[in-house]
Amino acid sequence: MIKEVDCIGEMEISEEVYYGIQTERARNNFDISGTTIGQMPEFIRAIAEIKKAAAIANAKIGKLDQDVANAIANAADEIIAGKMANMFPLDVLQGGGSTSTNMNVNEVIAKRANEMLTGHKGYNKVHPNTHVNRAQSTNDVIPTAIGIACYRYAEKLRPSLAQLTESLAQKAEEFKDIVKASRTCIQDAVPITLGQEFSGYYTFAKRNLALLDSMLAEPLELPLGATASGTDLGTFEGYMEAVFVELKKVTGINVRQKENLFDGLQQGDEYVRLSGYLKGLATGLGKIATDLRMMSSGPRCGFQEIILPSVQPGSSIMPGKINPVIPELMNQVCYQVCGNDMAITMSVEGGELDLNVWEPVIIKNLAEEFTLLTGGIKKFTELCIDGIQANRERCESFAEGTMANATVASALLGYPKGTEIAKKAVAEGKTVKQVIKEMGLFSDQEVNKLFDPLMMTDWKESSKIISQEEIKAK
């Protein structure tokens, strides 16, 4: 054990670890959630990248010895590569606006850099505040790191969303000629094709993929350089320009400084917008998952219009029961994302004066939203969407049987007559087509043409045929 000293007093720290006294205090103070900052590797990586960029920038303007800057950069590279993930034991929820997180990274880099230069841990050559944190404050480092981390999480989400989009496009094409009954208010409605239904799902996914691409294409605006309150106090001449040049090189991301650094520290509306996008994606995916559960319900006593892949037994007591576990998983992911969005919204609104200190809640929940959606969408696509089969016979029987087919009769003969036909069909347990034939309202050839469910799904064809019959009726 070695003794370390801070403004509060002394504490013994294990010689085996690279973090120091401030990290150890915070480790004991905030151990509540079971989630550590080390479990958010993109966040830790982003902080390390900021430290590296700042060290190089400070050396370039002559405010940091080159050997110290090189050691800091090399130590940061190890963190970026994930080599010291177990050195970040702090609970993600913590007081102090993430000062503890910033100092955890500062201490680890300082001790490792010192070890590189002197052969032993310590701060005699590289100090966590004096050198690693030079020209920085927790207040500008953390929101900058959140921005970089979220960009990377978005990059990871993209392949999953693109995969889902392609799978839904394929299903829309595969099911394009399978006619079924639509349902509105969970009641029988007019015929559509299963492919049309899936085309709606595909377009939703495609739209959200395009939104994600547009966000990734925009320059990433960051408040680095604001230091404590937006005044850049503690930086040196030339640092602002140099640090963003280096940050762009280190991260490989098109970054630039925020137009107004006071705004950059005060507000978090960009977090709300980003979480809002993820919530919008989640609500749509949850709706699709619910639809698939309903359409596959059965197999004997439900809709059974589609057959989902069987991935595991569904009951501990009922033999042969198979549950739609993957759509259910997707639903749960979506519920959690929506809950996280509320926590983010409250945390952003709860900021006060010149800093939002609730950023631990913000990054925890954003990281979880991205992680859940990235993994959940991939499972949803590969274990469910890709393997969906259509029950053509069942779909077509519903299309023939829906009372909403009387809509065609209503368009030609008036709403009262259409209502009479529908009520008669319900009372006698017959199809609309059977009732119309019995009533002799049209010839058999006209009935077969006018009340063909597949024809009704094509608005151009149906409007043309209905118009022709209306002219003949006149």
Side-chain angles (χ1 to χ4, degrees):
M1 303 292 283
I2 58 173
K3 278 189 178 181
E4 290 193 15
V5 180
D6 61 11
C7 64
I8 295 177
E10 293 182 350
M11 180 176 283
E12 288 192 336
I13 307 296
S14 169
E15 294 183 48
E16 302 299 316
V17 300
Y18 282 90
Y19 56 78
I21 186 170
Q22 292 203 45
T23 301
E24 184 64 12
R25 289 193 191 281
R27 188 178 71 83
N28 294 322
N29 288 338
F30 306 129
D31 185 17
I32 59 163
S33 77
T35 300
T36 68
I37 58 173
Q39 292 172 290
M40 298 190 298
E42 294 299 345
F43 184 43
I44 298 300
R45 173 186 174 184
I47 299 174
E49 287 172 330
I50 293 165
K51 302 301 174 181
K52 178 179 179 178
I56 296 171
N58 280 313
K60 280 192 171 181
I61 63 173
K63 296 301 178 180
L64 191 63
D65 290 345
Q66 191 63 57
D67 61 339
V68 172
N70 290 342
I72 289 172
N74 291 335
D77 280 337
E78 291 187 352
I79 294 172
I80 292 166
K83 290 183 179 179
M84 290 195 284
N86 62 336
M87 290 295 111
F88 305 101
L90 300 187
D91 197 291
V92 67
L93 297 180
Q94 53 187 258
S98 293
T99 297
S100 299
T101 293
N102 186 38
M103 286 307 303
N104 187 174
V105 178
N106 285 338
E107 288 177 340
V108 170
I109 290 177
K111 280 191 178 177
R112 180 66 182 119
N114 203 80
E115 187 176 52
M116 290 175 176
L117 292 174
T118 68
H120 61 83
K121 298 171 188 172
Y123 303 138
N124 60 305
K125 184 72 174 176
V126 184
H127 191 275
N129 299 80
T130 305
H131 302 111
V132 183
N133 200 62
R134 177 160 292 189
Q136 306 151 60
S137 164
T138 296
N139 300 355
D140 66 337
V141 166
I142 295 301
T144 298
I146 291 175
I148 294 169
C150 285
Y151 185 93
R152 294 245 172 75
Y153 281 123
E155 286 184 316
K156 289 183 176 182
L157 173 62
R158 193 193 184 284
S160 291
L161 187 51
Q163 183 183 12
L164 173 67
T165 303
E166 177 60 28
S167 181
L168 289 170
Q170 291 174 2
K171 290 300 172 183
E173 176 65 22
E174 180 183 342
F175 301 150
K176 66 182 179 182
D177 65 342
I178 299 177
V179 67
K180 57 163 283 183
S182 65
R183 293 179 180 84
T184 58
C185 300
I186 323 181
Q187 302 297 305
D188 301 349
V190 298
I192 59 171
T193 69
L194 188 59
Q196 288 171 329
E197 204 158 36
F198 272 77
S199 77
Y201 304 153
Y202 157 67
T203 301
F204 161 80
K206 182 176 72 168
R207 178 173 63 253
N208 278 273
L209 181 60
L211 287 170
L212 184 62
D213 283 340
S214 68
M215 287 189 285
L216 288 170
E218 288 292 316
L220 184 58
E221 295 190 345
L222 303 168
L224 189 63
T227 64
S229 297
T231 61
D232 72 8
L233 183 66
T235 66
F236 305 95
E237 187 176 354
Y239 170 79
M240 291 288 210
E241 296 79 7
V243 75
F244 272 89
V245 170
E246 297 307 321
L247 191 62
K248 184 178 291 189
K249 291 178 185 176
V250 171
T251 62
I253 300 171
N254 183 19
V255 296
R256 68 185 183 197
Q257 194 174 56
K258 275 188 173 289
E259 178 185 358
N260 187 300
L261 295 177
F262 303 102
D263 167 60
L265 299 191
Q266 293 169 4
Q267 299 292 344
D269 50 298
E270 67 267 30
Y271 305 137
V272 174
R273 281 194 297 275
L274 181 57
S275 182
Y277 163 77
L278 296 173
K279 180 177 71 171
L281 177 60
T283 54
L285 291 169
K287 193 269 183 192
I288 293 170
T290 296
D291 286 357
L292 298 184
R293 288 167 50 224
M294 293 179 70
M295 286 191 283
S296 66
S297 61
R300 298 286 178 86
C301 306
F303 289 2
Q304 196 59 13
E305 295 174 337
I306 60 173
I307 302 162
L308 303 184
S310 299
V311 297
Q312 65 182 61
S315 174
S316 61
I317 189 173
M318 293 174 280
K321 187 173 187 289
I322 305 295
N323 293 332
V325 295
I326 301 303
E328 289 174 342
L329 172 67
M330 192 74 250
N331 280 127
Q332 291 175 77
V333 165
C334 296
Y335 300 153
Q336 186 64 61
V337 168
C338 290
N340 286 20
D341 176 74
M342 178 57 71
I344 291 166
T345 301
M346 293 176 66
S347 297
V348 170
E349 190 277 334
E352 62 279 307
L353 301 177
D354 299 306
L355 180 69
N356 188 312
V357 300
W358 314 122
E359 285 168 336
V361 175
I362 292 169
I363 184 57
K364 176 186 183 295
N365 283 279
L366 278 171
E368 187 173 59
E369 286 183 46
F370 273 114
T371 301
L372 287 172
L373 284 170
T374 299
I377 291 171
K378 185 174 176 62
K379 291 287 187 183
F380 191 40
T381 302
E382 294 177 353
L383 299 183
C384 182
I385 304 294
D386 286 347
I388 292 175
Q389 299 176 42
N391 186 341
R392 181 184 290 269
E393 183 178 342
R394 183 79 161 172
C395 287
E396 290 177 351
S397 69
F398 284 147
E400 287 283 351
T402 174
M403 294 302 105
N405 287 342
T407 302
V408 175
S410 177
L412 292 171
L413 306 174
Y415 191 84
K417 195 66 175 178
T419 301
E420 178 189 342
I421 292 167
K423 290 176 68 175
K424 183 175 175 63
V426 170
E428 297 180 5
K430 298 175 180 176
T431 68
V432 167
K433 184 186 290 187
Q434 289 171 329
V435 168
I436 288 175
K437 281 186 177 182
E438 291 173 1
M439 294 175 71
L441 298 172
F442 299 96
S443 69
D444 285 356
Q445 183 180 4
E446 288 171 332
V447 169
N448 290 335
K449 181 171 65 173
L450 284 168
F451 296 92
D452 173 13
L454 190 58
M455 178 276 297
M456 295 183 205
T457 68
D458 184 339
W459 70 270
K460 289 184 179 179
E461 185 67 16
S462 63
S463 62
K464 181 175 71 174
I465 291 174
I466 291 172
S467 296
Q468 289 171 349
E469 291 299 324
E470 189 177 34
I471 291 170
K472 287 190 338 189
K474 290 180 179 178

